[in-house]
Amino acid sequence: MSKTVELARHLETLHINNMYKTDFYWTWDKTDEEIDAVFTVADALRDLRERNKNTKVFNSGLGISIFRDNSTRTRFSFASACNLLGLEEQVLDEKKSQIAHGETVRETANMVSFMADVIGIRDDMFIGEGHKYQKTFMDALEEGYRDGILEQRPTLVNLQCDVDHPTQALADILTLMENTKKPLSKCKLVFCGDTRNNVAYCLMYICAKLGIHYVGWGPKELAPAADVVEYCREVGKETGAVVEYGEDKELLKGADALYTDIWASMGEEDKIPERVKLLTPFKVTGEVLKATENPDCIFLHCLPSFHDFDTTMAASQKELGYDIREVTDEVFLSPNSKVFDEA
């Protein structure tokens, strides 16, 4: 019996009917069985591809990608996924479309969706605005489908907004599963640094869902919102997950994975002096890795990373007296690092 057949039989045992014709907006609104289903299908597709078997689900159709922010890994992952399933990716470049001439979101959404089966949107440039745009776009499609403009309603996949990054979180957990020899309920993941950013939040959500011990290790000035922590702890009461955060280095002990992200994105240069002061004590170094007391602890990062001074931004900030490296090469280039497998 092939691995794919075994995985298909497992899929039949899961309660996932509600996933059909629904969007993937948030990490936290999926059940543990629905997340299990995503992992199972991903594993089956990998098995088929490795055995050079056909993975195409569609004979034709489009996967529309809308990237309102820069992207490398997510952009190529979405394109690869479309190709794997038999869809052709079409990139909607707002500067090269009628959007630049004032076409509304409703008009654009309906126009590009006639032959589309899935639409991936990334928009995390403005706090409070990322998901708003996605919701506006998909509400327009729902209206168009209801009014008979569209024969079918494409599914939306959140490729990152300002509070969540579902595809990143799923890839992170898959990487953890592939590199640990114990069930997720026995794993501990520590996010180091700015524990209130969107990647930290989506990791906290999915860890709570899957019963993983989650720690946010960072300064109190950048602690996660109390309501988010409370929500995840409530979920953890059902799954057995522990959710905690703080500045104590003891929190690192027993970690199966250390995770971090850059301290300041493009356009946030004015925040660098404050961020460097707050976050340098939480930089992932060889000493921090040793503090886990787990020689098999892996290092994860959503990328891109400032792990040396070869980038223009890191080099220019160094000249100004700021070391913006959130991780050192001692860790980033070590055998413990799984960042490229993760990507």
Side-chain angles (χ1 to χ4, degrees), residues 253-270:
K253 190 176 296 184
D256 296 287
L258 295 182
Y259 199 118
T260 194
D261 193 4
I262 58 175
W263 296 344
S265 302
M266 294 297 291
E268 292 186 325
E269 287 82 359
D270 60 319

Side-chain angles (χ1 to χ4, degrees), residues 15-72:
H15 298 88
I16 54 175
N17 289 340
N18 289 337
M19 295 186 78
Y20 183 61
K21 290 187 176 181
T22 57
D23 302 313
F24 209 119
Y25 273 135
W26 306 118
T27 305
W28 63 82
D29 69 357
K30 300 302 178 188
T31 68
D32 54 349
E33 291 197 16
E34 288 171 344
I35 293 173
D36 186 357
V38 174
F39 291 155
T40 301
V41 171
D43 206 7
L45 288 170
R46 174 185 291 181
D47 175 60
L48 290 171
R49 188 173 187 277
E50 288 177 348
R51 294 190 290 117
N52 200 29
K53 300 294 184 180
N54 188 1
T55 59
K56 296 189 184 303
V57 177
F58 302 93
N59 292 320
S60 65
L62 293 176
I64 309 292
S65 63
I66 304 174
F67 284 88
R68 308 183 86 207
D69 190 8
N70 294 331
S71 173
T72 300

Side-chain angles (χ1 to χ4, degrees), residues 99-204:
I99 296 172
H101 296 157
E103 189 169 71
T104 67
V105 173
R106 182 180 185 277
E107 292 167 347
T108 301
N110 281 280
M111 189 61 248
V112 303
S113 301
F114 276 103
M115 286 293 291
D117 287 279
V118 62
I119 297 175
I121 300 178
R122 178 170 185 165
D123 188 6
D124 63 337
M125 291 294 287
F126 305 103
I127 300 300
E129 293 296 320
H131 181 65
K132 179 181 177 182
Y133 174 82
Q134 294 183 20
K135 190 73 167 60
T136 301
F137 195 99
M138 296 312 292
D139 284 348
L141 289 190
E142 187 67 41
E143 182 181 341
Y145 178 66
R146 188 177 63 244
D147 293 346
I149 298 172
L150 297 174
E151 294 181 356
Q152 64 178 11
R153 179 192 180 283
T155 294
L156 175 122
V157 177
N158 179 355
L159 298 180
Q160 186 176 8
C161 66
D162 52 16
V163 293
D164 200 3
H165 198 344
T167 56
Q168 180 69 56
L170 292 168
D172 297 338
I173 299 304
L174 270 176
T175 308
L176 179 63
M177 291 168 64
E178 292 169 355
N179 287 278
T180 54
K181 298 178 181 179
K182 51 186 174 181
L184 290 177
S185 60
K186 303 295 183 181
C187 289
K188 179 178 180 179
L189 184 149
V190 179
F191 186 93
C192 311
D194 182 357
T195 59
R196 64 178 184 180
N197 77 8
N198 58 358
V199 175
Y201 274 13
C202 69
L203 284 169
M204 196 191 319

